[in-house]
Structures are given as C-alpha cells and as structure tokens.
Amino acid sequence: MAYEKVPNAKSFLVTMLLVLAFMAHKGSSFGVNWGTMATRQHPPEKVVQMLQENGFTKLKLFEADHKILDALVGTQIEVMLAIPNFMLQDMSIDTVAAISWVDANVSSYCYDGGVNIKYVAVGNEPFLKAYNGTYLKTTLPALKNIQEALNRFGLGSQVKVTVPFNADIYFSPDSDPVPSTGDFLPELKDNVIEIIQYLYTNEAPFTVNIYPFLSLYGNAYFPFEFAFFDGKSKPIRDGDLLYTNVFDANFDTLVWSLTKAGFPEMKIIVGEVGWPTDGVVNANIPNAKRFNQGMLKHALSGNGTPARKGMIDVYLFSLIDENAKSISPGCFERHWGLFEFDGKPKYELDLSGSLQNKGLVAVEGVDYMSKRWCVLNRDAKDLYGLASSIDYACSLSDCTALGYGSSCNNLSLEGNASYAFNMYYQVNDQKIWTCDFSGLAVETDEDPSVGNCQFPVMIAYAPSLLQHRGLLHMVTENPMILNFDGFAYLEASAISNPTLQLTKLFTAMFPAFNPNQSCFT
C-alpha cells in the first residue's frame, strides 16, 4: 500500500505544479491604458464593468479622476495612478502638496476592499525632447516627495513610485546600431541614472513606453515586417543573439543601458505599447490586430526578449479612442483604442495570447444621441465659403479620418464636406444652429456613411473632464500645452512625413489642409 501511494503523491504534486503554473500565467497578465481626453465620456462604472468582463487585470490612469477611482472600489484591478507633468513643479518644491495629493488620491482609496493601487507614475515622459528640458530638474524631487508621502501614510512597501520614460532617452550609435551598444543619451544620462538609483533603492520598477509603429511612421525605409512579431522579417544579429522584431531590439537596448549603468536586474514595465487604427498610412485595423495580438502572445509566452527572459509586463495603449488628443505627433493620435469612442471593440483579440479569434465584450447599455447627421446642402448655390467652413469645422472637431491612407480618404468632395460638418455637429450635441454654415449644411436622418467610412452619432453622456476644465479649446489651439496621456515623442519640426501628401487637386480645394500632417488641423 505504501508503494501504491507514491505515484498518487507524484500525481498530486504534478497537478499542483500545473495549477500553480496556470495561476502564475494568469498573474502575469497585461494591463491597458485608460485615457480620458475625449469630448464625451462613458460612465466610469460601465467601463470598469467592461474591463472586468474582458479580463483586464491591470489599469494605467493618466490622472487621479475620483469618479474612475470610485468605480474601481471593490475590484481587484491593479492600478497605476499618474501625476501629470504640469504638477511636477509643485510636487518638487512643496512637500505639503505631495502629502495632500497622496492623501486625497492614494491613501483615501487604499483600504481593505478599496482600490488596488500598485504604482504611482510621477509624470509622463518628462524627459521627452519636445519638452526642451522643462522637467529635468523637477522630476526627481517630485518623485522623492511622493515616495516620502507614501511612506508617511505607511504605504511605501505597498505602493511603488515610477517614472514612465519615452524610449528616446536611450540609443545605439549609428556606427553599430545593435542593442548591446545601447546607452542612455549623454545629455540625459546623469539625470536618468539618479532616478534609476532612487527607484532601485525603493524596489520600484523602471517604466518605458515603446512604440514600434513610430519606427515605421518616422522612417520611410524601415522594414515593414520588422514592426511585427510573427517572424517574417530578416533577423538582425547582435553577437550570439538574433532579433526578429523592433520591440525586442528596443527593449534590449534599454536592458543594456541599465546594465552599463550598474542595474542589470532592474525590473522593467512597458507602460505603453500599441498600434493605431486610423489617421495615416499603416494605421488600420488589420495591422493593429496583428501587432496587438502578437504583442500579447509574446509578452505572456514567458520567452521574453533575447537579452531578458521571462514574462514581459506590458500595458496596451489604449483602451478607448480619444477624439480630443493633440494631433501634433500625428493624425493617428486619436485612434489608438482597442475600442471605438462608443465602447464597441474594433476587432477580435484573444487576451490570453493563444491566438484564438475571441471577441471582446463591448461597453454595455450605451446611450446615443438621436440618429441625425449634418451634411452638405445639395441645394446650396454659393460654395464660396466651403473651404473656410470645412477648416472651421475640423479645427473644432476631429477630421483625422479624412487624412491620406485613412478610413475616409476616398470620399468625394461632397463627402469630405459632409464629414467635416457632421463631426462639428456631433461634438456640439447636434444643436440645430451648428448645422448651418451659412446655408452650406443641412440636417438629415439618412446615414451618410460610405463603406468603411463611418459618420458617427455621438454617445449621449455628460461632457468630459476636459470640457469641464475649459481646456478643450486650449488643447485644440495649443496642442502641446496639455498632454496627460499622449506621447508627443517627436519635435514639431520632425513630425512631417513627405510621403503623406494628398493630391494637388485636393489641396487646392481645401487650402486649410496641412499635407505635412496629412489631416485637418
């Protein structure tokens, strides 16, 4: 009998190991970024319900929105809560401000059954080149003050601080562009290493945002297949290591940079990674599905990268499209969502990473405005003011889908005007006087959508925080003033792409069109 029990014990042990392995795999799940720069917002409780139904277990927020935090109470969703860049100055010099922020937004929610806050992100890409050193001197002091405030409330071991950096803080030299030659930029190295040392001392992770799409967008000669994970690209050799995709190469350039700084085992979180679905060439649903599905499979496989094995901790960017984001980086900026503005999934995505065509669960119970649209009035006789009317409509709404290579790029002249008028009409709550344009526009109850070009009807919810703060106009006119969740990763002088131009005829018909950005601004 004793002999017979041995196999049973072994069987039990094997079973337990499999269960633990499964639990470990589940625990290594991915996160998603939830940005709120939109003219209309879903009720937070409905979005949180959608997150749970889809199995999202980690969430990254770009500011402390108490309505969202209240909706997260009682859930097990792990939260990374952020302090926007514009607050860094105050946080860096005023310990009371840091204590007050932590008290109101972290300690008040960190109770049994409250919100599972795991990280506080201090700033967002504060060392971005486009900021011209604005936050170089304030990021570390702000980081220290927030950490000390967390310690004051007894949360220092439970909630960790971090700083999400853009991948432009490290590089490989042009003479030998492989990961193992990577290092932090000389002009930023001292500042970055000071922050790394502080994070490491507090057992906090290094967070980086990596965007393979931008490699493709910013370089006409970039090998298309190298942006994806399915092994169709010619590999790049770095010593004994082979790289088949740019994500791994970018990630390992950071690994080598950290190693040279003396932190080879530093934990790394990928705070943002994703692919847009509209706005420019290559930003479309098939490419986004291919990239995001590949990213999930790769991150959850446990294979890691050539230089760093194991699970990759990633937060997909982003959850829902945001139609009020700055388009300074590119016209794709408003189209990163896995879900449309109304909470409908854009494509099937298997969140387990096993490549099954599983549908995502939409936001439930969405209320829409009336099924009315605003289109070009075919009876209008005088079209003299058409171009300026389109310019005005697009400057105060979202016409990025009209850009070259975008979903509505093939509309007729009449269709372009109708699209612009409708976007302005919808963002202004379908008020009748917003569909006039000196007689050029008229309301209709017939859906003017054409093929894949959808003329949306907006959701009927309260205005976003952006509008409550009176900042929508500021962001539209001065897109770099606020950037809670965007990554204006390229300087304004460097974002134009000469291949993204419309025809001379279209430019002539629409002088407001900016061919350097390939969308209406």
Side-chain angles (χ1 to χ4, degrees):
M1 293 296 292
Y3 177 80
E4 294 177 354
K5 290 182 180 180
V6 173
N8 291 336
K10 287 183 178 179
S11 176
F12 176 77
L13 179 60
V14 170
T15 301
M16 288 303 297
L17 288 173
L18 289 173
V19 169
L20 289 172
F22 175 77
M23 291 174 66
H25 176 78
K26 295 290 285 184
S28 63
S29 60
F30 54 91
V32 66
N33 288 266
W34 181 2
T36 57
M37 296 192 73
T39 55
R40 310 292 288 184
Q41 296 286 342
H42 294 275
E45 58 273 13
K46 290 191 175 184
V47 178
V48 170
Q49 179 184 349
M50 177 267 282
L51 289 169
Q52 292 178 300
E53 290 177 349
N54 281 299
F56 290 102
T57 59
K58 299 179 183 179
L59 179 66
K60 185 163 166 276
L61 300 173
F62 293 95
E63 58 179 335
D65 183 331
H66 283 198
K67 290 183 179 179
I68 293 177
L69 290 173
D70 289 343
L72 288 166
V73 170
T75 72
Q76 295 301 310
I77 297 174
E78 183 183 291
V79 177
M80 180 185 291
L81 189 61
I83 298 173
N85 288 339
F86 73 86
M87 297 178 67
L88 294 182
Q89 175 66 26
D90 287 343
M91 297 295 177
S92 69
I93 61 176
D94 189 349
T95 57
V96 174
I99 291 170
S100 297
W101 189 92
V102 169
D103 184 25
N105 303 303
V106 183
S107 66
S108 295
Y109 288 93
C110 285
Y111 55 86
D112 189 23
V115 180
N116 183 20
I117 299 175
K118 181 68 177 291
Y119 301 106
V120 172
V122 180
N124 186 45
E125 300 183 339
F127 290 0
L128 199 67
K129 291 179 182 178
Y131 293 142
N132 297 317
T134 301
Y135 307 109
L136 276 179
K137 302 299 183 183
T138 57
T139 302
L140 180 58
L143 185 73
K144 289 181 176 180
N145 285 340
I146 292 297
Q147 179 64 62
E148 291 170 6
L150 290 169
N151 294 342
R152 180 188 180 98
F153 287 101
L155 298 171
S157 61
Q158 176 183 342
V159 182
K160 299 298 182 179
V161 292
T162 188
V163 178
F165 285 105
N166 187 275
D168 68 354
I169 66 169
Y170 51 87
F171 77 114
S172 291
D174 292 339
S175 60
D176 192 12
V178 293
S180 63
T181 64
D183 204 349
F184 294 111
L185 291 173
E187 63 270 29
L188 297 176
K189 191 170 184 176
D190 290 344
N191 298 92
V192 173
I193 290 178
E194 276 190 297
I195 290 175
I196 293 171
Q197 289 172 334
Y198 189 77
L199 293 175
Y200 189 81
T201 300
N202 287 279
E203 299 181 339
F206 186 99
T207 302
V208 64
N209 300 337
I210 299 177
Y211 282 97
F213 171 79
L214 298 183
S215 300
L216 186 63
Y217 173 73
N219 184 353
Y221 301 101
F222 186 87
F224 180 80
E225 293 295 329
F226 200 58
F228 299 92
F229 295 94
D230 37 15
K232 296 181 180 179
S233 177
K234 181 180 178 180
I236 293 175
R237 179 173 292 278
D238 182 7
D240 294 332
L241 304 178
L242 288 178
Y243 289 88
T244 60
N245 66 82
V246 69
F247 175 88
D248 283 356
N250 190 310
F251 188 96
D252 282 358
T253 303
L254 172 59
V255 171
W256 279 103
S257 301
L258 289 167
T259 299
K260 292 173 184 177
F263 302 92
E265 303 301 324
M266 186 87 179
K267 180 181 178 180
I268 299 173
I269 291 176
V270 179
E272 297 177 21
V273 63
W275 198 282
T277 56
D278 211 347
V280 295
V281 174
N282 293 321
N284 54 55
I285 287 176
N287 285 346
K289 179 179 179 179
R290 180 185 177 190
F291 177 83
N292 283 328
Q293 191 65 80
M295 182 74 257
L296 290 175
K297 179 184 178 184
H298 186 50
L300 297 175
S301 69
N303 295 327
T305 64
R308 174 78 68 93
K309 300 303 179 183
M311 299 287 185
I312 305 173
D313 198 353
V314 300
Y315 289 79
L316 293 179
F317 190 88
S318 64
L319 185 63
I320 300 175
D321 279 352
E322 300 170 80
N323 69 345
K325 287 189 68 179
S326 164
I327 56 171
S328 180
C331 305
F332 48 81
E333 266 300 277
R334 295 170 178 172
H335 304 281
W336 290 97
L338 300 173
F339 295 80
E340 301 281 3
F341 72 96
D342 59 356
K344 292 180 180 177
K346 295 180 180 178
Y347 46 87
E348 292 182 329
L349 191 67
D350 180 9
L351 300 181
S352 71
S354 58
L355 299 183
Q356 299 181 36
N357 281 326
K358 293 184 177 180
L360 295 171
V361 178
V363 175
E364 295 181 358
V366 176
D367 293 326
Y368 294 87
M369 289 189 281
S370 301
K371 288 188 176 182
R372 292 200 309 269
W373 296 263
C374 180
V375 297
L376 179 67
N377 185 358
R378 295 182 179 180
D379 295 328
K381 304 299 182 183
D382 184 6
L383 300 180
Y384 175 77
L386 183 58
S388 60
S389 294
I390 292 173
D391 182 24
Y392 178 80
C394 288
S395 70
L396 295 174
S397 63
D398 178 23
C399 295
T400 52
L402 294 176
Y404 177 71
S406 301
S407 60
C408 297
N409 178 222
N410 296 318
L411 292 179
S412 64
L413 172 60
E414 177 184 338
N416 281 294
S418 294
Y419 189 90
F421 292 160
N422 184 65
M423 295 306 291
Y424 179 80
Y425 174 70
Q426 298 294 338
V427 83
N428 285 286
D429 302 333
Q430 297 183 348
K431 293 182 175 65
I432 189 170
W433 58 85
T434 64
C435 185
D436 182 61
F437 293 95
S438 300
L440 291 172
V442 64
E443 290 180 306
T444 180
D445 57 5
E446 295 183 10
D447 188 349
S449 299
V450 179
N452 292 328
C453 177
Q454 298 299 308
F455 283 58
V457 169
M458 285 295 171
I459 57 176
Y461 294 120
S464 71
L465 292 174
L466 195 64
Q467 288 179 306
H468 279 311
R469 294 171 183 164
L471 296 176
L472 180 57
H473 179 74
M474 292 175 64
V475 173
T476 305
E477 297 299 321
N478 303 285
M480 294 302 294
I481 288 179
L482 284 181
N483 201 8
F484 293 129
D485 58 340
F487 43 93
Y489 27 72
L490 300 174
E491 295 182 59
S493 61
I495 63 173
S496 62
N497 187 330
T499 65
L500 302 181
Q501 298 184 9
L502 298 183
T503 64
K504 292 181 180 180
L505 175 61
F506 191 72
T507 304
M509 290 301 300
F510 297 96
F513 184 81
N514 181 351
N516 290 328
Q517 286 191 320
S518 187
C519 61
F520 288 84
T521 56

